[in-house]
Amino acid sequence: SPISASSIYYGIPLASGAMTICLFLGLELAIPMAMITAIGTAVIFKNRFDIFLYFLINSSMAAFWMQNCRERKVFIKAGLKLGAMNVILVTIIDSYLGGSSIIKILWDWAFAFMGGVGAGIVTAGITPLIEIAFGYTTDIKLLELANLDQPILRRLMIEAPGTYHHSVVVGTMVEAAASEINANSLLAKVCGYYHDIGKIKKPLYFIENQTNGINRHDKLAPSMSSLILIAHIKDGVEIARKNKLGQVIIDTIRQSHGTSLISFFYEKAKQLKGENAVNIDNFRYPGPKPQTREAGLVMLADMVEAASRTIANPTPSKIQGLVQHLINKAFSDGQLDDCELTLKDLHKIAKSF
C-alpha cells in the first residue's frame, strides 16, 4: 500500500488530551499527562522510542500553547502551530531513521500536520462538553459571563439599577487590581459583576437603590434589617445555581462578605437595647471568609466602592485615606486570613483602587 502504517500514526490527535487538561487544570498537570500518554503510546507500538519522543514533545508543546485560552481561535492557532511542529519532528525522525522515500515523507508530513490541526479541533469540541458535565468554569465561559447582556445582569440593571452600577464599578476595580498582583483578572471581574445578584429579590432594602431619601429600614428592627442584608447572599447563591454560573462564582458570592460585621445595624441595636442585650453574631455575615485572592479582591473593592460614595467633597487624598483605612480594617478583623493576599499585594491593591 502507498501509505505506510507509521505515517498514519503521526496523524493521531493524541495531544488533545494534554491540551484539555491544560485548559481545565493548568500546565503543571498537563505535562505529566503528556508524559503518561507518550509512554503508553510507545508501549502499544512495541516500545518505539521515536513514537515516544514524537508524542511527548507534541503533547507538551500543545499544552504549553493552550495556556491563557480566552478565545476560540486559540484552539485553531495552537492546532496550526502544532501541525507545523509535527512536520518538523517527523522530518527529523525520518532523516534519523533513514531509508524513507520521498512519497513516504510527503505522507508523513500530511498526517503529521493533520494530527496537529485535528488535536485543536478535538479539544475545541470536547471543552464545552466537559464544562457542562463537570461544572468547570474555563476562561471562555467567563468571557461569556462577562458580557453585560447576560439576562441576569439585565434584570439587575432594570430592577436594582444602583446595585448594577455598583457591581460594574467593582468589576472594573478588581480587574485592574488583579492584573497588578498577577491574579486571574477575568475571573475577578466576573465575580465582581455577580457578587451582589442576590439583591434582585429585595432591591429597595439596599441603600444604593433607594431614592428620595426613603429608607425602608427606618421602620424595621435592626435585627430584622441585618437578616434581610444577610439573606442576599443565600438568594445570590440560589440565582447563580439556577443560572448555572458555575461553582467558582457561587463560592465568591458566599465569600465576598466573609464574616464581616454589619456595623451600622449592630450599633443601632446596641443603642436601642443596650450593649449586653445584643448578640454580635446575629450581625455578622455567615461567611466563609474569602478563600481565593479573587474573592478577597471582590470583598475589598465592594467595601471601598460602597464607602467612597458617602465621602463629601472627595479629593484624591481623602479617597486614599479611606482605601487604606478599609483595607486595614478588613485585615485586622481577620477577613483576609484565608486568601493568600500578602501585605505587598494589599499595598498594590490599595494603590490600584
Side-chain angles (χ1 to χ4, degrees), residues 33-329:
M33 168 75 182
M35 192 84 186
I36 292 165
T37 37
I39 293 172
T41 316
V43 168
I44 292 169
F45 289 118
K46 308 199 173 62
N47 303 341
R48 277 179 53 186
F49 188 63
D50 55 324
I51 293 274
F52 166 72
L53 264 187
Y54 174 78
F55 282 118
L56 176 65
I57 298 172
N58 155 314
S59 296
S60 306
M61 287 309 292
F64 178 73
W65 283 320
M66 278 308 288
Q67 291 178 99
N68 309 326
C69 173
R70 300 217 162 155
E71 294 161 294
R72 273 192 290 251
K73 66 174 182 223
V74 175
F75 293 105
I76 305 306
K77 270 190 181 165
L80 290 170
K81 285 183 196 168
L82 193 59
M85 191 192 69
N86 284 355
V87 168
I88 297 168
L89 281 176
V90 165
T91 313
I92 294 169
I93 289 173
D94 280 352
S95 58
Y96 178 72
L97 294 175
S100 295
S101 65
I102 296 294
I103 301 284
K104 181 180 181 314
I105 289 177
L106 287 176
W107 276 118
D108 284 0
W109 281 353
F111 278 105
F113 188 72
M114 279 180 352
V117 178
I121 293 170
V122 169
T123 312
I126 291 177
T127 302
L129 300 177
I130 293 179
E131 276 181 356
I132 294 162
F134 300 105
Y136 271 109
T137 312
T138 59
D139 282 354
I140 297 174
K141 171 89 191 272
L142 288 175
L143 269 181
E144 287 169 10
L145 292 177
N147 178 357
L148 295 173
D149 274 347
Q150 289 285 336
I152 184 156
L153 292 178
R154 299 187 75 145
R155 262 191 72 191
L156 199 61
M157 190 195 298
I158 294 162
E159 295 171 38
T163 301
Y164 173 79
H165 175 253
H166 158 78
S167 301
V168 172
V169 175
V170 167
T172 315
M173 287 167 70
V174 289
E175 183 179 28
S179 14
E180 284 292 315
I181 63 169
N182 298 325
N184 184 338
S185 56
L186 179 61
L187 174 63
K189 175 170 80 169
V190 172
C191 291
Y193 285 170
Y194 291 92
H195 77 280
D196 270 345
I197 49 175
K199 292 183 179 178
I200 292 181
K201 286 267 176 86
K202 293 192 180 73
L204 293 174
Y205 285 92
F206 297 93
I207 190 130
E208 65 266 25
N209 301 313
Q210 292 166 1
T211 48
N212 328 331
I214 301 166
N215 189 340
R216 302 216 162 180
H217 290 288
D218 296 343
K219 295 183 181 145
L220 292 176
S223 53
M224 194 62 214
S225 292
S226 82
L227 279 178
I228 290 177
L229 293 197
I230 288 168
H232 90 263
I233 295 187
K234 194 167 92 326
D235 295 340
V237 169
E238 267 168 37
I239 295 171
R241 281 232 167 85
K242 217 157 135 192
N243 287 274
K244 298 198 167 57
L245 297 187
Q247 197 55 43
V248 196
I249 310 233
I250 292 173
D251 291 343
T252 308
I253 292 174
R254 277 215 186 93
Q255 296 162 17
S256 66
H257 293 280
T259 55
S260 56
L261 183 64
I262 304 170
S263 49
F264 180 80
F265 293 116
Y266 176 58
E267 296 302 330
K268 194 170 154 186
K270 280 202 301 195
Q271 279 167 11
L272 286 173
K273 289 184 168 175
E275 187 89 31
N276 301 328
V278 182
N279 180 0
I280 191 166
D281 292 337
N282 297 341
F283 292 87
R284 279 193 178 278
Y285 282 103
K289 294 174 180 177
Q291 305 291 308
T292 61
R293 299 165 75 198
E294 289 79 13
L297 275 173
V298 172
M299 171 186 234
L300 294 173
D302 184 44
M303 291 160 69
V304 168
E305 206 284 330
S308 60
R309 288 167 186 256
T310 59
I311 301 183
N313 317 323
T315 60
S317 62
K318 269 190 191 173
I319 291 175
Q320 199 178 355
L322 177 81
V323 170
Q324 282 299 343
H325 167 70
L326 287 170
I327 289 182
N328 291 343
K329 196 171 123 188

